[in-house]
Amino acid sequence: MEYQPDVKRITGEGGIIASVAAHSLGEAIGLQPGDVVVAIDGQRLRDVIDYRFAIAEERVTLLIRTAAGDEREITLTKDPDDDLGIEFTEPLFDRLRTCNNKCPFCFLTQMPKGFRKTLYLKDDDYRLSFLYANFVTFTNITEADWERIERQRLSPLYISVHATDPFWRAITLGKRDVPDVREQIRRLGQIGIRVHTQIVACPQVNDGAVLRQSIEDLIALYPIVESIAVVPVGLTKFRFEGKAPKTIRAAIQVHETPEWIDTNWERQPLWEDPTTGSHPLHQPELGFCSRLGVVTDIPLRCYTPAEAADVIDLIEPYQRRCYEQFGTHLVYASDEFYLLAGRPIPPAETYDDMPQYSNGVGMVRDFLDNWARARRRLPARIAHPTKLALVCGTLIAPVMEHIANRLNQIEQLTVKVVAVTNQFFGETVTVSGLLTAQDVIPALRASGCERALLPRVMFDYSGERSIDDYSPQQIGALAGMPVALAGEATELARYIQALARSDG
């Protein structure tokens, strides 16, 4: 999962220290976990970015609020490149920038009630884009933000484009007043900022001719645009309070329910007056959903295998063109499109330097190539007879069967791929990253296995809890077997090597 902020730790009063490295400057001046770095040289810190810029001086004065609540100033002289050796509980110290869009495919509106509150928070903060490669829409950027991006050289940034045509981008973002993303990207290029982009494609909405135009427009912005990823829409059986809208219009209006509005800090005008359901809330042109009528009645659905193949066939000629023209393929279909279409995963060179790896682009190819190397180091036998479950989502299961076939050649090792059907979010959700413990645990109990390897991607950024708040240890205890996490082929190989050395 991508980084998710813990808003309880974003106090607006500075950066809370989580740890202080041994023998560091921070330890030398007496900093301790729980202390707060409020300001440096009189500048109050908004986030870890401000901290990094402010600390890069020879002489700095820190304003510290101790865990006990006392304030003190500390002045020290150091090498500009020397850090204090401290880590913060959160990278943001002030208010998190939340999302003011109403994307019909927003995953958060497809969540049932009952999860931890932070999972319903729609962050759209350009600082998290810079720090963690989170995709943002750039629809909430102010002039002060532009000035800061230029001054602190916050590059690269990751932008969710969805469509370059203003009409179709307005539909995919669910609101009328959206800036022209092409002009925004040009402006970023003028101040020396590079951009990675993504398009979440919806069948018959922003694919086909709309996708072709978007790709053409973004290619024209190379080298400001360093990559373009096209990923398929993901839909669950849920909508807010169990609603399951069948159209773009209905999905957008989920964002306008009182319960959903209350979960977010940013409040937007409704498309229609909630008391009548028909009259625009403001002037007629803001009745965007009603005005577009037929367009927003397009069904919101997942891709079929044939449609996934069409998307690939649209993208691959652009890859060849870009490679000939720029020396990079630039445009990439996500792994999910290839798996859904039943197409072979392209070779590694197609993905260049894997610029959108964390977005599910090239991840399968990287795993397969690493596996080809790691398998050479597998033992011929393990110490004790063992039945091992390889847990995954149904989409990647054929790839994991290939892995299991090789592992089953190891003497005394029996490996079973446990492809977990996502009963919780619905069978249309096939990726491993959205597996819940509630589905994994019964699948493991029924597997007949004694041990299990769980996909690391089904847990949060720290690997400590699943989307339904279970730790790996809890899953193991409830499934009745020891579990471990693996996200890369080398981790899988090391686990098998450890079994070979185990005494039992």
Side-chain angles (χ1 to χ4, degrees):
M1 291 184 182
E2 69 177 16
Y3 167 77
Q4 294 175 325
D6 184 349
V7 293
K8 292 181 180 179
R9 294 180 173 182
I10 302 175
T11 64
E13 298 178 355
I16 303 172
I17 297 175
S19 63
V20 182
H23 313 299
S24 65
L25 278 174
E27 183 183 65
I29 62 176
L31 297 182
Q32 297 180 3
D35 290 349
V36 178
V37 183
V38 179
I40 298 179
D41 294 334
Q43 175 191 342
R44 297 188 72 87
L45 304 180
R46 297 163 290 186
D47 45 52
V48 71
I49 303 170
D50 275 351
Y51 164 78
R52 291 173 183 173
F53 273 80
I55 205 67
E57 301 288 344
E58 290 186 2
R59 182 180 174 87
V60 293
T61 298
L62 310 174
L63 176 59
I64 304 296
R65 182 180 299 116
T66 68
D70 302 320
E71 287 195 355
R72 62 189 180 118
E73 282 194 349
I74 304 172
T75 300
L76 68 154
T77 302
K78 62 178 190 62
D79 188 292
D81 293 332
D82 287 344
D83 188 61
L84 298 183
I86 60 177
E87 297 291 337
F88 296 100
T89 58
E90 288 292 316
L92 307 184
F93 308 157
D94 65 355
R95 179 178 181 271
L96 174 72
R97 189 74 61 83
T98 53
C99 183
N100 60 18
N101 303 303
K102 304 174 188 176
C103 301
F105 45 76
C106 176
F107 184 78
L108 302 188
T109 60
Q110 303 180 58
M111 300 267 285
K113 285 186 173 181
F115 286 163
R116 59 186 182 272
K117 190 172 182 179
T118 53
L119 289 177
Y120 302 96
L121 187 64
K122 298 196 297 179
D123 66 271
D124 196 25
D125 199 309
Y126 70 91
R127 297 170 298 175
L128 296 181
S129 181
F130 171 69
L131 290 169
Y132 295 104
N134 285 15
F135 279 93
V136 295
T137 64
F138 249 54
T139 59
N140 57 8
I141 298 296
T142 67
E143 279 303 313
D145 296 329
W146 280 105
E147 292 169 7
R148 183 183 184 191
I149 290 168
E150 180 176 9
R151 183 175 68 256
Q152 295 184 333
R153 306 288 292 179
L154 304 185
S155 181
L157 294 174
Y158 294 74
I159 298 181
S160 288
V161 172
H162 305 326
T164 55
D165 179 274
F167 175 86
W168 286 103
R169 189 165 198 248
I171 291 174
T172 59
L173 295 181
K175 65 178 190 177
R176 171 179 174 271
D177 295 318
V178 295
D180 189 323
V181 71
R182 296 164 297 187
E183 292 303 319
Q184 289 183 309
I185 292 172
R186 289 189 189 97
R187 183 173 177 180
L188 287 169
Q190 290 168 359
I191 59 177
I193 307 300
R194 293 295 182 258
V195 173
H196 296 278
T197 62
Q198 77 162 352
I199 296 169
V200 176
C202 300
Q204 298 180 309
V205 180
N206 60 334
D207 58 1
V210 178
L211 177 59
R212 192 178 298 279
Q213 178 186 343
S214 296
I215 292 174
E216 290 276 4
D217 289 344
L218 293 173
I219 289 174
L221 292 168
Y222 178 85
I224 305 169
V225 171
E226 294 190 332
S227 67
I228 308 161
V230 183
V231 303
V233 63
L235 301 174
T236 79
K237 67 181 182 182
F238 293 105
R239 291 296 182 268
F240 212 70
E241 282 201 327
K243 298 183 181 73
K246 300 299 184 182
T247 65
I248 298 294
R249 177 204 300 250
I252 291 170
Q253 289 174 333
V254 170
H255 293 263
E256 299 173 351
T257 61
E259 296 88 348
W260 178 249
I261 292 173
D262 285 344
T263 68
N264 285 274
W265 294 334
E266 305 284 0
R267 292 171 179 259
Q268 294 296 304
L270 304 185
W271 274 5
E272 297 174 345
D273 184 346
T275 61
T276 66
S278 59
H279 300 296
L281 190 64
H282 299 298
Q283 60 264 41
E285 62 267 29
L286 286 179
F288 186 55
C289 184
S290 298
R291 184 164 56 84
L292 293 178
V294 174
V295 174
T296 54
D297 282 335
I298 294 173
L300 183 62
R301 60 178 179 80
C302 297
Y303 276 91
T304 66
E307 289 171 329
D310 289 341
V311 172
I312 294 169
D313 290 341
L314 186 152
I315 290 172
E316 287 186 341
Y318 284 113
Q319 291 184 310
R320 292 189 289 271
R321 170 182 143 189
C322 289
Y323 190 77
E324 292 174 1
Q325 187 173 354
F326 307 128
T328 178
H329 294 85
L330 193 61
V331 191
Y332 313 95
S334 73
D335 297 351
E336 192 171 346
F337 274 119
Y338 284 96
L339 294 171
L340 179 59
R343 295 278 186 91
I345 302 296
E349 54 266 25
T350 305
Y351 298 101
D352 302 305
D353 59 352
M354 301 274 182
Q356 299 233 19
Y357 181 89
S358 61
N359 202 18
V361 178
M363 195 176 287
V364 173
R365 170 46 60 198
D366 185 60
F367 184 89
L368 290 173
D369 288 353
N370 284 334
W371 170 249
R373 292 186 288 270
R375 62 180 291 174
R376 301 169 192 161
R377 301 191 297 273
L378 292 173
R381 71 189 307 273
I382 61 173
H384 305 279
T386 301
K387 295 180 180 179
L388 175 65
L390 292 183
V391 177
C392 63
T394 55
L395 184 68
I396 196 69
V399 174
M400 299 310 296
E401 290 287 358
H402 170 75
I403 306 299
N405 290 340
R406 171 60 182 88
L407 293 175
N408 280 322
Q409 297 174 22
I410 299 173
E411 188 177 342
Q412 299 205 93
L413 177 63
T414 302
V415 175
K416 180 179 181 180
V417 174
V418 178
V420 180
T421 299
N422 202 320
Q423 303 290 349
F424 188 87
F425 285 115
E427 295 185 10
T428 58
V429 178
T430 58
V431 295
S432 299
L434 291 175
L435 289 177
T436 63
Q438 297 170 57
D439 285 332
V440 168
I441 291 167
L444 286 178
R445 287 175 178 166
S447 69
C449 294
E450 305 156 344
R451 293 174 172 268
L453 272 178
L454 306 180
R456 187 175 297 278
V457 72
M458 72 172 279
F459 295 92
D460 63 8
Y461 195 76
S462 61
E464 296 175 352
R465 56 183 177 177
S466 65
I467 196 170
D468 53 346
D469 266 335
Y470 285 73
S471 69
Q473 294 77 17
Q474 288 174 309
I475 293 175
L478 292 170
M481 65 185 71
V483 303
L485 308 187
E488 299 179 357
T490 51
E491 291 179 299
L492 171 57
R494 283 197 297 267
Y495 182 83
I496 302 300
Q497 290 163 357
L499 291 180
R501 298 189 297 266
S502 174
D503 293 329

